Amino acid sequence: MEEQRPDLCNEWVLNEALSVAVPGTGETLAAESEFDCEFPFFWLIKEAIESKWESVRSLLDDHRQNVHVGLCDMLHDDPVANVLMRVPEEHWSELCLLYLNDVLRSVHMVPHHKASDEYEILKNALNALINGPDLSPHKSLLSFLAAVHVVYNEYEKEIVWFGQLTAQIPGILLQLAREDFCDCQYFKLPLYAVRVSISLDNLALPLSPDTREYVCQRLVKLQLCQNSIDSILTLAPNNEFTQEIRTTWQRVRAVQLFIEHVALKCSHDQDDEKFIAFVQYAIRINVRLKCEFVKKEAIINVEKVLRTVDREAKSKLKFSGKMKEMLRECCKSYFMEVVSSLCFGQATPPEPDLISELLNIVITEQNKTKEFTYSEEEKADKVPVIRTFLLQLLLEHNMEEVKQHLSSYFEKAQHLIQNDHNLCLLCIQCLEDAIYKQHGQFSLQMKVEKALSTIEQGKKLISGSETPYPGEVISLEYLEGVSMLRFSLSVIAELIYYQYSNKETEGITYTHHSQLLLNKAKECCSDDHLNEDDTGPGVFLLKQLGKQYGVAFLTNLTSDPTMQWVVPRSLRQSDHEDTHQVNDPFVIYDGYDKFQTILTDAVYGKDLTQLQATIQSLSTADVVPLLVGTYQVISGSAVFTAESKIISDTIKKEVLATIRQCNGLKKELLLIAQHLIEDNTYHSRLEVMTLRPGMSPQNRLLTDLVTHVAIAVQCTSNKLLTPFIEMISRPGDLKDCFLPTMPDDSLPDVRNAVGAGQFYECPRGHPYFVSECGRPLQQYTCPICHSRIGGQNHTLESTNRIARTTDITETGYALGQPHQRESMPSTERSLSVPACAIIRALMHSSLLWTSCTNEHSMNNLLDLIKTPVAPNNVSLFFWQHLSYDIKMLSASLGKSQDDACLILHILLKNIATLNPRGGNATNLSSKEHRREWEKSFHDLYIKPVLTNLDANLHKVTDLILNHKKEERDRLFYVIHERVQIPPNVIVPHLWSYHSRITLKNVLQVLQAEKETYPILYEFLIQDQFLRATQYLPSIIKLQQQMYKMSHKKLDKKEATQWTIRDYLKGFRQPRGTQGENKRNQFQDRLNCVIKAWNLVKERLKDAHVHVDPNIIQSLSWDEKTPLSYLIPTLTGDGACTVALVGLLVGIHNDFLEKCHSQLETKLKKNKSKMCKVPASQIQLCHLLDYEHQILSIVLSHCHYSLKHGKGHDVNYDFAALEKHIVDRFIHGKPYIQLEFPQVVYRKDVYTAEAFANIRKNVQPQRQLTVKQQTDIVHELHSMKHLRECLDVVEIVIGFLSSGKSSSKTELKTYIKRVVRIDEKRFTSKKAMEYCTLGHILSLWETLSVQMAKCLTIRSQEAFDSFGEELMKNLSKDQVEKLKSYLKGIDVPPFLNLLYEFIETTVRHYESNHIDITWSLSDTLYLHLENSELEYLLPEDFQKKFPKSITVDQTVEVWKTIVMFQYDYEQKIA
């Protein structure tokens, strides 16, 4: 990067600058990565000023005048200042402009073709401030340049967003050039840019008839610029000029949102009459809005227009029926977006009148409408979305103020509340959500600790209020107490499930807190004051367990006497023989009740007449109901112990004989009937499947499923079911087939996807790729098995090999052992996680049935399974896999295992009764055919079930409830809230079950429609990782802080010994609050590292920079952690933060790339050019900072009910939600340019190359005289002083190794002016007196050799970081020969040469490609010859030095020479 001197700068200025300049490369992070600096020695001066910046900002307030004075004072003694203060005054202004221009070009990105215009406009605007009254008059050029940094740093964010805006609309620069935006007090340029950009010429939507065709184009531009404009207005001062622009912008946004949410959705195209009518309504909004949306008047005007729209829907818009309902929903969506984005999404908080107006919508009185609505006809909303949404926003804005309003309302309006159950439930839900927002993302352990406090607070609040009866007072405190208990009991349900579901495998954790919480829960659920008439905390906990984890789990749980308290006393069943029966899933079949009755009469009434008549006229649709009825009535009788329920063998034979008379049953189905009625093999093959008294409900769930699969798949005629049929009848035929959901060998696909290069394998067969020429240059560690991979100098590691080229995808069954399956839900190819789990469950059920019913198939099954399994364990093998499938399906959909099984039963009913078109893919002879089969099966059978999942489950639950009797199955009725509640009683409603609306829940519902909403799906599955990206700015600042502190200044050993606690202690300074502020800043940044690390550490193994997997799992980031983990390096400890930043940047960029690709496909347009921001300049506004807003946005795009028994009904508007997320968080976000900072430790510069560079760039290098060396060593009389002095010398060597310097420069001048180290750190005055830069290597040798000699004489290790391979001992003969050689040479100079050779060459023998078995004399000679220093060796060195001594004995040679010299000196002393 060339730095040119302007003509106006006198020659003596350059001469003075050269005396302190350190030639080197300054890093530029701007779009113009290469430009000609106009200011002389720009990088040097910029670095000098910036080095003082942080200290100034931490000491002073934010007023620019004080900061400017403080910065000038701090720079006053800097050598650079001495030069700048001597520049003649007539050059100040012009030099300042040149410097300002260079600063802008070095840090400000301009990606468009009008870069010069933008720099000129920015320069003029900032120059006005530099010459403004706060910073002028300037007394020197130093004052001018300091002012540049003060102004730029004050408005850095505004400049960034100004650049983002001009990147989207470069044309506004021409308009800005005509504006008078320069102001000596405020930086008005960004505001002027906003005013120009939102004019009708640029972003404002054209609402006139002749410009309607441009509306969609403008909408896209608006979305791209929205973040930039909002950010500029947020940062702007709150004055009249800003308010005027903000009001105009909010009018533009209000119109934009109306067109998006209402006009475009409710009209077919832009040319129809309806769209024209909607545009007229938009014009009314535009005309009526005279103030910002923080005021009440603005929202009232919007409401008036919306009511007009609803009133004229029929007369003017010709809407009726569904279209009218759709219009209302669109208007509600628009209203919520206006409130969210414009009322609460601005820097200025809403005014009290607006808060009151919104609260009036939440607290609607009975003489108005019960729910908020725009319609004069619609008197009540079925779904209280707007009220909930508004209350959520209000509570987030100011919880205490809103609670005061609510409390006052509750006191004054009791007669209105008594029947307004929704308002009470609304308050409870919003208060409960507020707790979840703070603690819902925490670990179970942390939630348990929070629940311990909230359960006590909740009980106190409820106990302090009387339980409200009909007609009695209800208080906000009571509702708040209920919300706290609901949160606590939800955590308790999660804890109970975790403990008891992992009891056998993982044991119970969180022992102390968990037991304490369970004891408190037991007290709460047993408190008669809190629990009355099947309502209260006890019933709520019961519902949580039953709805979330299943009745089967609840039944298993209460079989433990110590856990029976989770069921209220009134609902506990007596210990009868049939109390442990699970729900009958076969009620989903039409006619099932009829067959159940006929079979019951046949086996217990011993009357087969009706059965015989039915069999004779059996239709195809009745085959499955008949067989599943046989299973339930006859096979299921084995669970009873009563004599009256036992079926005799004679009756069984008669029933089987009757069924065999049916001509409509295939032989396969007759065989199933025989297994169900007569054979014992089905019951005895696998104990867990044996129907018997006391059978586990969860085992019964799986047994029912296996039976249903065997029946349903063999009843269908659809060829798509052929694989399952063959698994039951001919499993041996499948051993050479590619079975569904089995894993693929991905290497062939990867080969096709990557470019030039070569694949290799580590010693254990794990593949990796070397790009470019395909020959390795570096060594790495295999991320899976940690073996050494790669190589050096284009030579492959000897234990590695070229990877296979064949496809090793296995045929047959290739999932391995059940315990080997991954802990996270898995998927294969295009299948979603639920779809994959469903197909595997069907497959394992089919194979399990075969293993239990067909002894002759055992050998075929063993051939099919690629994993060794004992023949007597085959059934258990498939049973365990099936159990795992149900768990995965349950986890992926957020349903209980009961519901997961019901989903499979629904799908099986569709298989048995429906015959959808398509599905001819039956061939599994290749991977491609398998992929086709999976897609066909998914589209025909899985997708219809998952698309309307909640509705399907709700329908089946109703069928099961109708099949039960409330008096006998009251527990089930209570769990599903089917018990009738008197209309005037409110307390039971307060303990109703409601599905939590979370991102996880949205993702679970979206699974079936992920192809339709790919951006939303990608956003949800990446949520955990995208949330981590918000910590990037702080992590990067921490890296920069560590870099400045460590680069070429800190030794690696010191960094590993210095802990984070030690570093924090260094901030305890006596100078006011500076140390405390820096300490807090560091702690905040460290906390960001910890949070991000915990969120993404499972993906760090895939980061570009390798981190040891053991470190990933064990690193705690506490105060005992070595500081080296925070210091950025590409290898070792410091790779942790570098890998973290690289991964976070990749997550951000990859997500944006996927979104833009999807938008390009969906909108059928070319991908827009995206801005790029260097990682070093990244700010939170550049990232997807959505964590605090996303739940409110989700809430505004869903429909749900607060009614008792309807809490599980939640429906989402995925299309609107996806669009909202794209508009709010994705449009306008830049890509991040990744930069890897790498600290070089002090001793890392001990390389032959670095020392050669110093001899070349700082020449000549001269030796200190013997007297000078002796004086320096005597002055530094202790090891401590030697070490301190050597520390400074090593830092100087690090600086000198990267650029040219004059050897005549005095060492003390260089240390003070360039290295900027306090002279007091350099403990040798003699060295300061004697040394120039030409003596630096001689000084290093003097200090280093003296320290190493002292350590060796004391029998301490002088080279403690060397490995054992370099510590080989000398033989006696070698020692004698070496001592004989030493007697004939001058030892001290040779010892100095040997020491440098050890530190710079032997230490790095691997990277220097030295074989340690080589001869030491030859290797040392070659090393010195490369540096043209071989003449320094003793005469005839190669001939006389012992040839048998090798490089791996060098350290022992050093010790021998030192002791030889020491003994000699002692003798002559």
Side-chain angles (χ1 to χ4, degrees), residues 144-196:
F144 264 108
L145 303 193
V148 170
H149 287 267
V150 170
V151 170
Y152 179 81
N153 280 278
E154 181 178 350
Y155 294 108
E156 181 180 6
K157 292 182 180 178
E158 287 89 337
I159 293 170
V160 168
W161 284 115
F162 170 78
Q164 296 281 315
L165 185 58
T166 58
Q168 298 297 338
I169 325 174
I172 65 173
L173 292 168
L174 295 177
Q175 296 170 272
L176 284 173
R178 298 191 291 269
E179 297 277 352
D180 183 17
F181 53 78
C182 293
D183 190 288
C184 59
Q185 290 283 352
Y186 303 109
F187 184 52
K188 290 185 176 181
L189 174 61
L191 285 173
Y192 273 90
V194 171
R195 188 172 74 172
V196 170

Side-chain angles (χ1 to χ4, degrees), residues 196-208:
V196 170
S197 66
I198 60 178
S199 66
L200 281 172
D201 293 334
N202 292 295
L203 291 179
L205 292 181
L207 300 178
S208 58

Side-chain angles (χ1 to χ4, degrees), residues 358-424:
L358 296 176
L359 273 171
N360 287 336
I361 296 173
V362 176
I363 308 171
T364 51
E365 298 183 3
Q366 292 290 342
N367 58 359
K368 298 180 182 179
T369 57
K370 186 175 180 182
E371 307 289 356
F372 178 66
T373 176
Y374 306 106
S375 173
E376 295 174 0
E377 302 171 9
E378 186 184 20
K379 297 302 179 185
D381 270 343
K382 295 178 181 178
V383 181
V385 173
I386 289 184
R387 293 174 77 190
T388 309
F389 172 76
L390 292 178
L391 187 52
Q392 290 272 22
L393 282 177
L394 291 166
L395 286 170
E396 287 177 12
H397 169 67
N398 191 328
M399 179 174 283
E400 293 306 317
E401 180 182 344
V402 173
K403 282 166 65 175
Q404 288 177 7
H405 277 82
L406 288 172
S407 184
S408 174
Y409 174 75
F410 273 77
E411 291 173 3
K412 295 177 182 178
Q414 284 302 317
H415 65 287
L416 298 176
I417 298 174
Q418 289 164 11
N419 293 321
D420 191 2
H421 298 166
N422 274 356
L423 177 59
C424 297

Side-chain angles (χ1 to χ4, degrees), residues 606-640:
K606 299 180 181 179
D607 180 7
L608 276 66
T609 307
Q610 185 65 33
L611 177 61
Q612 292 167 346
T614 304
I615 289 295
Q616 294 301 320
S617 59
L618 190 71
S619 65
T620 303
D622 289 334
V623 170
V624 177
L626 169 65
L627 293 175
V628 295
T630 302
Y631 164 73
Q632 281 289 57
V633 174
I634 301 178
S635 302
S637 66
V639 303
F640 301 122

Side-chain angles (χ1 to χ4, degrees), residues 290-535:
K290 303 295 184 183
C291 60
E292 294 181 59
F293 271 93
V294 296
K295 298 181 181 295
K296 173 183 175 180
E297 292 75 14
I299 205 69
I300 287 178
N301 283 324
V302 169
E303 290 180 42
K304 287 179 179 177
V305 173
L306 292 177
R307 288 196 170 92
T308 303
V309 172
D310 187 82
R311 189 170 54 250
E312 297 177 352
K314 187 174 182 180
S315 59
K316 188 172 182 179
L317 297 170
K318 311 299 183 187
F319 281 174
S320 61
K322 290 184 178 180
M323 283 302 298
K324 193 171 183 180
E325 183 63 31
M326 177 183 173
L327 175 61
R328 287 174 182 161
E329 292 301 319
C330 290
C331 288
K332 290 175 185 177
S333 175
Y334 167 67
F335 178 79
M336 288 188 285
E337 179 62 13
V338 166
V339 173
S340 173
S341 300
L342 303 182
C343 297
F344 287 91
Q346 307 301 314
T348 308
E351 294 184 355
D353 285 348
L354 175 59
I355 299 294
S356 299
E357 174 64 20
L358 296 176
L359 273 171
N360 287 336
I361 296 173
V362 176
I363 308 171
T364 51
E365 298 183 3
Q366 292 290 342
N367 58 359
K368 298 180 182 179
T369 57
K370 186 175 180 182
E371 307 289 356
F372 178 66
T373 176
Y374 306 106
S375 173
E376 295 174 0
E377 302 171 9
E378 186 184 20
K379 297 302 179 185
D381 270 343
K382 295 178 181 178
V383 181
V385 173
I386 289 184
R387 293 174 77 190
T388 309
F389 172 76
L390 292 178
L391 187 52
Q392 290 272 22
L393 282 177
L394 291 166
L395 286 170
E396 287 177 12
H397 169 67
N398 191 328
M399 179 174 283
E400 293 306 317
E401 180 182 344
V402 173
K403 282 166 65 175
Q404 288 177 7
H405 277 82
L406 288 172
S407 184
S408 174
Y409 174 75
F410 273 77
E411 291 173 3
K412 295 177 182 178
Q414 284 302 317
H415 65 287
L416 298 176
I417 298 174
Q418 289 164 11
N419 293 321
D420 191 2
H421 298 166
N422 274 356
L423 177 59
C424 297
L425 292 174
L426 188 68
C427 293
I428 286 175
Q429 179 173 319
C430 292
L431 292 169
E432 187 181 351
D433 283 344
I435 304 174
Y436 267 104
K437 280 189 176 181
Q438 292 181 350
H439 307 283
Q441 299 291 339
F442 291 172
S443 66
L444 178 57
Q445 182 178 3
M446 297 177 72
K447 286 192 285 188
V448 165
E449 293 171 5
K450 176 63 180 177
L452 275 170
S453 61
T454 55
I455 195 171
E456 284 297 319
Q457 295 173 24
K459 284 176 66 177
K460 286 180 182 178
L461 288 171
I462 292 178
S463 300
S465 308
E466 291 295 327
T467 303
Y469 290 97
E472 292 188 358
V473 174
I474 190 169
S475 66
L476 182 63
E477 288 75 14
Y478 183 87
L479 298 179
E480 193 171 2
V482 171
S483 68
M484 288 182 171
L485 286 185
R486 286 171 64 98
F487 167 79
S488 302
L489 292 167
S490 299
V491 173
I492 290 164
E494 184 181 353
L495 173 65
I496 290 173
Y497 178 74
Y498 175 82
Q499 289 188 337
Y500 280 83
S501 62
N502 295 295
K503 203 168 185 179
E504 296 178 358
T505 55
E506 299 180 16
I508 299 177
T509 57
Y510 320 133
T511 305
H512 174 67
H513 286 145
S514 65
Q515 193 57 52
L516 188 59
L517 182 59
L518 290 177
N519 290 339
K520 290 183 180 294
K522 185 175 180 180
E523 293 173 10
C524 182
C525 295
S526 304
D527 189 334
D528 293 336
H529 175 71
L530 299 175
N531 300 272
E532 297 182 11
D533 300 328
D534 295 342
T535 188

